Amino acid sequence: MVSEARIDPHVHCRDWEESYKATIKKVYELAKSQGVSAIFDMPNTKPPITTREIAAKRLRTAEMQGVSRGYYLYVAATSSLEQLEEAVRTVEEEPRAVGLKMYTSEMRGLEVERLEDQLKVYRALAELGYRGVIAVHCEKTSLFRPELWSPEKPSTWCLARPPEAEVESVMDQISCVKKSGFRGTLYVVHVSCPRTVELISKARNDGVRIVCGVTPHHLMLTTRDMETRGGLLLKSNPPLREPEDAHGLLEKVSRGMVDFIETDHAPHALSEKLNPPYLSGIQSLERYSELISWLLENGVSEKLIDEMTSKNISRVFGVETT
Ligand SMILES: [Zn+2]
């Protein structure tokens, strides 16, 4: 069987004020070396992609680096109604802007933390007639337990941002979609535990347009891998989970309950990960082809892999990459 053109719908190319971490060109070349022909870049850049003008500037930056085909981006969705309207029009009019992205937890001022503000966003999108994708980072900050985090024991990050925070936030998003009359697609990014996938599946059966993706690190790595000091390199949001969660996620993948493979490739300087501020993010695009082999070894069919890495993504986003 010939593999479809693979797409990674969640990467962070950095660049601009953070080009010391990575550039669009560097991430795109890594993607190609891993067999991925298109990447969707997230908008929490410095400065963030919140307007039409910044989105256009970002696309020009990519072109100047020789990356045009295969590069797409998201526009941030904040709780400002004016910003949301501009973001929606940008996604509707710019073919390389594939969707909106909303952060429910702290993200450089882009976050929409309060449930009432999240509902406001979905209502505004419904009123604007938005039919596209909104990718959402789901973690409910009121359930965080920051007092449990100790850099001396990196695996405590997994206690500080527990699975409940993700599960509850996904429940919030589903209820917002139902209440608001939002007509687009809710994309729950990087699900980290099987309960989340079950919730999403149930919502889909109830008629909600919802999809989800899983990362190589939440499938192949667990809290156990963070038990040494080098574990700081594996600090991510959401955090790695217990082995039974990772195993449960693989089982959901095998049953075709997960729509996308996404890497959430998030490069930082080594010093920022190993020293304060101990930034979160894993360079998981480096594991992409390893993940494909691992999935095959673990009994996931080639057909399912093609769907999760290509067909489902091009269908949901309406992006043609071949
Ligand atoms: Zn991300």
Side-chain angles (χ1 to χ4, degrees), residues 5-19:
R6 291 196 163 124
I7 304 168
D8 186 345
H10 186 165
V11 300
H12 298 268
C13 290
R14 309 301 188 197
D15 221 302
W16 289 350
E17 288 171 42
E18 296 179 310
S19 46

Side-chain angles (χ1 to χ4, degrees), residues 5-52:
R6 291 196 163 124
I7 304 168
D8 186 345
H10 186 165
V11 300
H12 298 268
C13 290
R14 309 301 188 197
D15 221 302
W16 289 350
E17 288 171 42
E18 296 179 310
S19 46
Y20 66 93
K21 298 183 196 235
T23 58
I24 294 172
K25 184 181 165 74
K26 194 172 164 199
V27 175
Y28 184 65
E29 281 175 358
L30 172 62
K32 280 200 298 187
S33 76
Q34 293 284 323
V36 173
S37 54
I39 52 175
F40 296 178
D41 197 10
M42 285 295 173
N44 59 334
T45 43
K46 214 170 177 178
I49 303 170
T50 49
T51 67
R52 187 190 305 266

Side-chain angles (χ1 to χ4, degrees), residues 10-305:
H10 186 165
V11 300
H12 298 268
C13 290
R14 309 301 188 197
D15 221 302
W16 289 350
E17 288 171 42
E18 296 179 310
S19 46
Y20 66 93
K21 298 183 196 235
T23 58
I24 294 172
K25 184 181 165 74
K26 194 172 164 199
V27 175
Y28 184 65
E29 281 175 358
L30 172 62
K32 280 200 298 187
S33 76
Q34 293 284 323
V36 173
S37 54
I39 52 175
F40 296 178
D41 197 10
M42 285 295 173
N44 59 334
T45 43
K46 214 170 177 178
I49 303 170
T50 49
T51 67
R52 187 190 305 266
E53 195 186 329
I54 303 173
K57 188 176 164 212
R58 186 76 176 172
L59 293 171
R60 278 199 305 275
T61 301
E63 271 162 32
M64 278 161 54
Q65 294 178 15
V67 181
S68 47
R69 275 173 67 93
Y71 179 80
Y72 300 83
L73 54 79
Y74 292 87
V75 181
T78 69
S79 57
S80 149
L81 295 180
E82 206 181 323
Q83 187 274 330
L84 272 178
E85 180 163 10
E86 184 170 348
V88 163
R89 300 303 168 225
T90 306
V91 172
E92 285 171 348
E93 290 158 22
E94 169 52 64
R96 290 182 179 274
V98 284
L100 301 172
K101 171 75 183 276
M102 179 167 75
Y103 294 89
T104 60
S105 57
E106 193 280 316
M107 184 47 76
R108 298 176 173 176
L110 296 175
E111 61 275 7
V112 184
E113 258 181 271
R114 294 186 313 170
L115 180 56
E116 64 216 76
D117 289 332
Q118 292 166 12
L119 181 59
K120 194 172 112 184
V121 169
Y122 289 99
R123 286 208 165 117
L125 296 179
E127 270 164 38
L128 290 164
Y130 182 65
R131 295 293 190 99
V133 175
I134 182 165
V136 184
H137 178 119
C138 298
E139 279 188 293
K140 198 172 174 105
T141 49
S142 58
L143 297 176
F144 286 176
R145 301 189 62 194
E147 71 281 6
L148 298 179
W149 160 239
S150 158
E152 298 308 311
K153 196 164 185 282
S155 62
T156 55
W157 188 244
C158 314
L159 305 173
R161 297 177 74 130
E164 293 73 39
E166 173 177 295
V167 169
E168 290 287 327
S169 176
V170 171
M171 286 166 77
D172 286 349
Q173 307 315 306
I174 292 169
S175 79
C176 284
V177 167
K178 288 180 175 171
K179 275 189 208 155
S180 64
F182 170 66
R183 304 281 298 279
T185 300
L186 168 58
Y187 162 25
V188 177
V189 297
H190 49 47
V191 294
S192 67
C193 54
R195 266 185 295 157
T196 310
V197 182
E198 282 158 19
L199 260 177
I200 290 168
S201 209
K202 186 177 174 299
R204 188 181 292 154
N205 291 338
D206 293 347
V208 176
R209 287 177 67 178
I210 184 168
V211 293
C212 66
V214 69
T215 68
H217 47 276
H218 289 113
L219 282 169
M220 295 195 288
L221 302 170
T222 73
T223 50
R224 304 287 157 87
D225 297 295
M226 290 185 79
E227 279 168 6
T228 59
R229 191 168 161 81
L232 283 170
L233 294 174
L234 301 179
K235 181 170 173 278
S236 72
N237 297 329
L240 298 181
R241 302 300 188 197
E242 296 300 316
E244 50 274 30
D245 285 320
H247 192 81
L249 269 184
L250 172 63
E251 192 244 348
K252 303 295 180 206
V253 165
S254 320
R255 290 169 55 190
M257 292 165 76
V258 173
D259 302 276
F260 308 151
I261 297 295
E262 63 187 73
T263 64
D264 191 11
H265 180 72
H268 291 294
L270 200 57
S271 60
E272 300 168 320
K273 291 211 50 87
L274 296 178
N275 304 297
Y278 305 110
L279 293 179
S280 293
I282 303 181
Q283 306 200 21
S284 269
L285 196 43
E286 291 168 1
R287 298 171 200 270
Y288 198 96
S289 49
E290 185 195 339
L291 175 76
I292 303 299
S293 313
W294 184 88
L295 288 172
L296 287 167
E297 280 160 27
N298 280 283
V300 179
S301 71
E302 213 162 315
K303 178 172 175 286
L304 255 184
I305 293 173

